[in-house]
Amino acid sequence: MDDSTAFYDYCGRCYVVEPIPIGSGRESLVYHVLNLNSTCIKVYKNRSVSRNKEDKLKAMIRKASEMNLDSLAWPCKLIFDDKNAFAGYAMPQFENNQTFDSLFRNAEKLSFMNIRDKLLILLNFLYIIKRIHSCGYVIGDFNPSNFAIAKNFQVFFYDLDSLQFTDEISEISYPCVTCAKGYLAPELIKLCRKYSNWFSELPFPAFTQYTDLFSIAVIIAQVLLDGRYPYLNISTTNHCSNLNFHVEENTCIFRPKYFCLLDKEIFDEIPENIMDLLGKAFIDGYKNPYKRVTEIEWVNAINPLILNNDN
C-alpha cells in the first residue's frame, strides 16, 4: 500500500484504514476501516483496474438495498484514493469467523460437530445461495475461502465482486472470470480447454446457475465428510494439482464402483435422503447439468431433518 491510509467515496466521506491488511488475494487487499464500525474496504493492487470493473460494482451497489447485508460482504460504496482515482469498494466487515477452507483443512474440528450442526451450516449456506440466485446472479467461484462460519453457525459470503450477471439498466453482461480448481463443473472444464484455460475468454454465459449447482454439491459433500474432497484418493483440495482431472473423469466416491472400495464409516452420519441427493448430484448431474440438485431441493431435504433433531 502507498503512503496514503485514507480513501474517499463519491460523497467525500473519508475511510481511514489500518496500514496492515486483514486479508489479501491475487488482485486485491482488504483493510479494516478505523473510523467506521463494521466496515472494510477492498483495494485493488493494480490501480489501472478496467472501467468495466468500476461499472460492474456500480451495478451491484444499485442492488445493495435488495440484498440482506447481514451475511453478504456486498459492495456498498465505490472508493477512491486521494488523487480521485478508482481504488475499490467499501463493504460490511464480519469478524472472528472461520472460512470453509480452514475448516476443511481442520478435519478434527468438523468431526467433532454433530450431524445437526453440519446440516445447519449447510442450510444457512443454501439460503444465501437461494437469495443470490433469485436476484439473477451466478456465483461462479466457489473457492471455500470465500465462505465463512460464525460460532452460531451463521454463514457469510466474501469476494462477491466476481459474481456473474447482466445489469438490468445498461443490459451489459459481467462474466465470472475465476473459479477455484476442484469446484468447476465438468462441462466448464472441457470448455476451458478450448480457450487455453482463460476464464475471461469463455463465451458468455459460460457459468450458469446449473454450473453453480455442481459446486454447491461439492461443498455440501465436504461439510458432511469432515472436509474430505468427494473424489477418489483425495483427502483435501490442498497440494493436489489434478483436481479438475478427477472431476472430468468422474471418480466421485458416491458412484457405486468407487463407493464399494471405501470405509463405509465415513458415510454413517449422512441421512439416507441426503445420500440419495448426493448420488443424484454427482451421477445424474454429471451426465446432465439439468438434473443437478437445486438449492431448493437441498433445503427441502435438510429442513425436516433439523426440525426432527430439535424435537
Side-chain angles (χ1 to χ4, degrees):
M1 190 174 186
D2 57 30
D3 294 334
S4 173
T5 57
F7 295 88
Y8 305 86
D9 63 23
Y10 268 131
C11 300
R13 174 183 287 180
C14 181
Y15 295 72
V16 180
V17 303
E18 292 180 342
I20 300 174
I22 58 173
S24 64
R26 190 179 65 237
E27 65 170 21
S28 61
L29 297 167
V30 178
Y31 294 92
H32 171 64
V33 178
L34 292 169
N35 60 321
L36 291 170
N37 290 333
S38 303
T39 300
C40 61
I41 62 171
K42 184 172 186 175
V43 178
Y44 295 107
K45 294 175 184 176
N46 179 2
R47 293 300 180 79
S48 61
V49 175
S50 70
R51 179 62 184 269
N52 184 267
K53 174 71 83 170
E54 186 176 347
D55 289 342
K56 179 180 184 179
L57 289 165
K58 285 180 183 177
M60 293 184 72
I61 290 167
R62 287 198 297 269
K63 284 278 195 176
S65 61
E66 298 178 26
M67 312 304 291
N68 182 350
L69 302 186
D70 289 345
S71 54
L72 296 174
W74 195 267
C76 297
K77 299 277 185 181
L78 294 183
I79 56 124
F80 304 84
D81 62 20
D82 55 2
K83 297 180 178 63
N84 206 33
F86 170 65
Y89 61 93
M91 59 186 171
Q93 181 176 342
F94 309 115
E95 298 187 41
N96 303 320
N97 302 316
Q98 186 169 19
T99 65
F100 279 32
D101 180 55
S102 64
L103 199 61
F104 293 163
R105 286 186 278 110
N106 186 1
E108 190 173 289
K109 187 161 188 176
L110 259 175
S111 66
F112 280 121
M113 288 186 189
N114 60 41
I115 189 62
R116 180 201 175 274
D117 293 345
K118 293 175 185 175
L119 291 173
L120 185 56
I121 289 169
L122 292 175
L123 192 64
N124 291 334
F125 174 70
L126 290 159
Y127 278 142
I128 298 173
I129 291 170
K130 182 172 176 286
R131 185 194 322 152
I132 291 172
H133 278 178
S134 69
C135 291
Y137 295 95
V138 171
I139 295 170
D141 184 15
F142 276 79
N143 188 326
S145 63
N146 293 345
F147 315 115
I149 310 164
K151 288 182 179 178
N152 64 353
F153 305 123
Q154 184 176 359
V155 175
F156 303 92
F157 280 39
Y158 304 133
D159 272 355
L160 294 166
D161 57 334
S162 63
L163 294 182
Q164 176 178 288
F165 64 96
T166 298
D167 180 33
E168 299 170 341
I169 296 175
S170 68
E171 297 185 346
I172 294 173
S173 295
Y174 298 100
C176 175
V177 295
T178 185
C179 183
K181 287 182 179 179
Y183 299 89
L184 196 61
E187 65 271 20
L188 273 176
I189 296 173
K190 292 174 183 174
L191 184 62
C192 280
R193 197 176 295 116
K194 295 180 182 178
Y195 293 87
S196 302
N197 294 317
W198 286 99
F199 292 118
S200 58
E201 296 180 6
L202 297 180
F204 188 89
F207 290 86
T208 67
Q209 292 191 1
Y210 291 102
T211 62
D212 275 4
L213 296 181
F214 172 83
S215 309
I216 291 166
V218 176
I219 293 281
I220 287 173
Q222 283 189 275
V223 171
L224 295 174
L225 295 171
D226 297 336
R228 180 194 173 115
Y229 190 65
Y231 285 83
L232 203 62
N233 300 324
I234 304 174
S235 57
T236 75
T237 54
N238 296 318
H239 313 302
C240 183
S241 59
N242 61 346
L243 293 173
N244 285 348
F245 168 82
H246 283 275
V247 171
E248 195 171 9
E249 293 298 311
N250 200 18
T251 64
C252 177
I253 60 176
F254 296 102
R255 291 181 64 193
K257 66 183 289 188
Y258 299 123
F259 183 84
C260 64
L261 302 175
L262 299 168
D263 182 354
K264 301 305 179 294
E265 286 186 10
I266 68 171
F267 303 106
D268 278 353
E269 268 198 330
I270 303 177
E272 186 177 348
N273 65 328
I274 303 300
M275 282 293 290
D276 290 342
L277 288 181
L278 287 165
K280 179 182 176 184
F282 288 108
I283 300 172
D284 298 345
Y286 173 81
K287 298 173 184 175
N288 184 346
Y290 299 103
K291 290 187 176 181
R292 289 175 184 154
V293 183
T294 68
E295 64 270 39
I296 296 171
E297 286 180 274
W298 285 116
V299 166
N300 290 341
I302 292 171
N303 234 333
L305 296 171
I306 293 175
L307 292 173
N308 290 340
N309 210 289
D310 287 342
N311 292 335

